[in-house]
Amino acid sequence: MSRQTYRSDVGVRFNVLGPFQAWHDDAPLDLGGQRQMAVLARLLVARGRAVPVNTIIDELWPGNPPAQALSTVQGYVSRLRRALEPDRAPRQEAEVLVSAPPGYALRTEDGHVDSWRFEALVKADGGPEQVWTAMETALDLWRGPALAEFADLPWAATEAGRLEELRLVAVERRADAGLRLGRATSMVADLEAHAAAHPLREEAWRLLALGLYRTGRQGDALAALRRARGVWRDELGLDLSAVLQRLEADMLAQRLDLPPVEVEAQREAGTLRVVVADDQALVRTGLRVVLDSEPGLEFAGEARDGEQAITVVGETAPDLVLLDIQMPRLDGLTAARRILAEKNPPKVVMMTTFGTDENLYAALRAGVSGFVLKTSPPEQLVAAMRAAAAGDALIDPAVTTRIISAFAGRTDPGAPPALAGLADAQLDVLKLVARGMTNRQIAQTLALPDPAVAATVAGLLEHLGLFDRAQLVVAAYESGLIKPGAGS
């Protein structure tokens, strides 16, 4: 039977990416023990090509096959056929796991095996929007390391390594497409994590540096390339590649374009209405110019002190408040607490002229989404507002977690609630939030769907009586779940 004549109505689907499974009409199949499953996995790796019985035996028992290996494999095949085609008549020819002298082959549609579909998507061509969609779909198929159940078998380890490389390519192709589409702001945190996890990958550093540059963080972009140079010299004894050296030179000469930021979350959610509260008229005017010139953002009102900020927020019901931490009559911290105490409060981002202070920690504990320096370029201010509105990442996670870690021991009676009653799965997510990971990074780390992570984060906020992601980080430190200075 040729591949072109496979029956498409045989309802068997196979999962290779993550736990090894087979399904028939949405019901999981009993594939037997480890070696029996390994026979099926080996045939899936062959992608429809025949695998000789001798090869199956050699690869199932490397170097030491049992005397009855042939009959054992035949028994495995017989039981697998019954599992894969439960409705097949006793004397009817098998149509999924077929005899293909001198061995066996697996016949199924490409779309019925997640790893086959994953590979096709990763290699898909098209423009940036098409590539973005294909890579998103591919990465959603990844439920964890491939063929982990058979990691001690050389053929499985080789295939798992190949699929892992394809996953990294998918991550990088998605990032490249996102940068071309103007989505750098929402991607920098993921790119930081990718470069840190894979410091010898040229493309990881190129994308990180380019993403930082296109969010207005030219200094950080050049610093990233310096980090890459240091790692490569220490690990490989090499300087940066020609591609990265050319990128560095283009940044220093300011030859790269800075396209307008386009954030998909804002296109979907509509306009983000912002109130600006600062005692300096020049600051308020400057921020209004930024808001008026940025698609998806709208200036909703302004205030010159904390009391007026509370009144304006009550009158305009904005989505977000930019609030100076030091203002006359009523300081920003007190104003933030009162704003956040109301029903369905807006997100609050504190503005400051200094980098670290115990007041900033108190603000984070109170529920503000984060803080920005008044001297930040417009691109960073916009990025902070959008990150706060999206709620799936911290504003400047490295700085935010460092401040919380520095002041975590200085609690007061209003400390965040204890973590009693949380399940282990919730605590796993909370630990990664406290490390500054985005929802997507957590999903990839724990092999969970993105919506499941978002739902868990929302459940943590509700369980703990909190309403902002930064408060979860505070709770993790103050409860002792995360120790200051510890990595997890």
Side-chain angles (χ1 to χ4, degrees):
M1 181 183 293
S2 66
R3 292 192 74 187
Q4 287 71 23
T5 59
Y6 302 162
R7 279 181 51 186
S8 61
D9 60 334
V10 176
V12 184
R13 296 183 179 273
F14 303 92
N15 291 341
V16 175
L17 307 176
F20 186 78
Q21 295 172 310
W23 302 77
H24 185 277
D25 293 339
D26 297 325
L29 301 179
D30 181 2
L31 300 177
Q34 192 83 351
R35 280 204 171 90
Q36 183 169 300
M37 285 198 298
V39 171
L40 179 59
R42 180 62 183 86
L43 296 176
L44 280 167
V45 169
R47 295 202 60 156
R49 296 183 295 274
V51 181
V53 173
N54 288 341
T55 299
I56 294 175
I57 291 172
D58 290 341
E59 294 185 339
L60 214 56
W61 295 279
N64 189 29
Q68 305 299 320
L70 177 59
S71 60
T72 300
V73 168
Q74 291 171 339
Y76 290 160
V77 169
S78 177
R79 288 190 289 274
L80 284 170
R81 283 172 169 168
R82 288 197 296 271
L84 296 174
E85 299 181 66
D87 300 327
R88 182 171 59 91
R91 297 184 180 277
Q92 184 181 354
E93 183 180 353
E95 295 187 341
V96 179
L97 201 170
V98 302
S99 296
Y104 302 99
L106 195 87
R107 308 300 196 198
T108 189
E109 303 288 341
D110 286 354
H112 289 183
V113 184
D114 61 355
S115 59
W116 298 2
R117 185 176 175 224
F118 171 79
E119 183 169 353
L121 287 165
V122 174
K123 295 178 178 179
D125 293 324
E129 194 68 61
Q130 289 76 27
V131 170
W132 172 274
T133 300
M135 298 310 111
E136 285 270 281
T137 304
L139 291 170
D140 284 345
L141 292 172
W142 191 273
R143 300 173 303 123
L147 303 171
E149 296 90 340
F150 320 109
D152 58 332
L153 299 175
W155 61 267
T158 299
E159 177 67 4
R162 189 184 73 86
L163 290 169
E164 171 63 15
E165 174 62 23
L166 284 175
R167 185 188 71 82
L168 297 178
V169 169
V171 169
E172 291 165 356
R173 290 197 69 196
R174 173 185 177 275
D176 183 72
L179 294 180
R180 293 177 186 275
L181 292 167
R183 299 172 182 173
T185 299
S186 63
M187 304 187 66
V188 166
D190 286 347
L191 290 173
E192 284 274 15
H194 182 61
H198 307 281
L200 302 183
R201 292 183 72 87
E202 174 191 89
E203 186 68 354
W205 290 110
R206 185 188 75 84
L207 292 165
L208 172 59
L210 195 57
L212 289 166
Y213 188 90
R214 288 186 172 173
T215 56
R217 299 168 61 182
Q218 291 91 329
D220 290 339
L222 291 167
L225 292 175
R226 287 195 297 272
R227 281 159 46 204
R229 177 178 281 111
V231 170
W232 284 24
R233 282 178 175 169
D234 291 344
E235 298 291 331
L236 305 174
L238 299 174
D239 197 356
L240 290 181
S241 67
V243 169
L244 295 182
Q245 289 186 41
R246 190 160 53 247
L247 178 62
E248 185 178 45
D250 287 344
M251 288 180 178
L252 289 169
Q254 296 188 339
R255 289 192 291 262
L256 298 178
D257 294 331
L258 286 172
V261 176
E262 178 186 13
V263 178
E264 58 273 25
Q266 291 305 319
R267 291 205 307 266
E268 295 170 359
T271 301
L272 185 68
R273 301 177 64 254
V274 182
V275 163
V276 176
D278 193 287
D279 59 328
Q280 299 180 43
L282 187 61
V283 172
R284 298 197 303 272
T285 300
L287 288 170
R288 180 166 191 166
V289 170
V290 171
L291 293 168
D292 287 344
S293 63
E294 189 68 27
L297 300 180
E298 178 183 315
F299 180 83
E302 65 178 59
R304 60 181 176 270
D305 58 53
E307 288 185 357
Q308 190 177 35
I310 294 170
T311 301
V312 172
V313 168
E315 293 173 347
T316 61
D319 303 297
L320 185 141
V321 183
L322 279 176
L323 193 62
D324 186 8
I325 200 166
Q326 291 186 326
M327 290 187 294
R329 300 187 63 180
L330 190 69
D331 65 89
L333 177 56
T334 303
R337 284 174 170 154
R338 287 173 55 180
I339 290 170
L340 293 169
E342 296 296 323
K343 186 177 181 180
N344 299 321
K347 297 288 187 179
V348 176
V349 175
M350 304 301 295
M351 297 185 293
T352 180
T353 55
F354 38 81
T356 58
D357 186 277
E358 194 162 1
N359 285 335
L360 296 178
Y361 176 65
L364 292 168
R365 291 186 68 251
V368 304
S369 298
F371 67 94
V372 292
L373 295 176
K374 290 186 181 181
T375 54
S376 300
E379 295 87 353
Q380 287 189 25
L381 292 170
V382 170
M385 287 186 278
R386 285 179 162 152
D392 61 355
L394 294 172
I395 297 173
D396 202 339
V399 175
T400 300
T401 55
R402 186 168 66 244
I403 288 176
I404 292 172
S405 176
F407 293 101
R410 308 181 187 185
T411 59
D412 62 33
L419 306 183
L422 292 179
D424 288 345
Q426 291 175 299
L427 292 174
D428 289 342
V429 171
L430 179 56
K431 288 177 183 178
L432 298 183
V433 170
R435 288 173 55 188
M437 287 191 179
T438 66
N439 283 4
R440 174 167 285 274
Q441 289 170 333
I442 295 170
Q444 292 174 345
T445 300
L446 299 179
L448 294 171
D450 288 1
V453 174
T456 300
V457 172
L460 286 168
L461 291 170
E462 181 178 0
H463 178 86
L464 297 174
L466 307 175
F467 43 82
D468 192 86
R469 194 180 191 92
Q471 287 180 300
L472 291 176
V473 183
V474 172
Y477 275 94
E478 292 196 341
S479 67
L481 182 67
I482 300 292
K483 303 294 184 184
S488 61

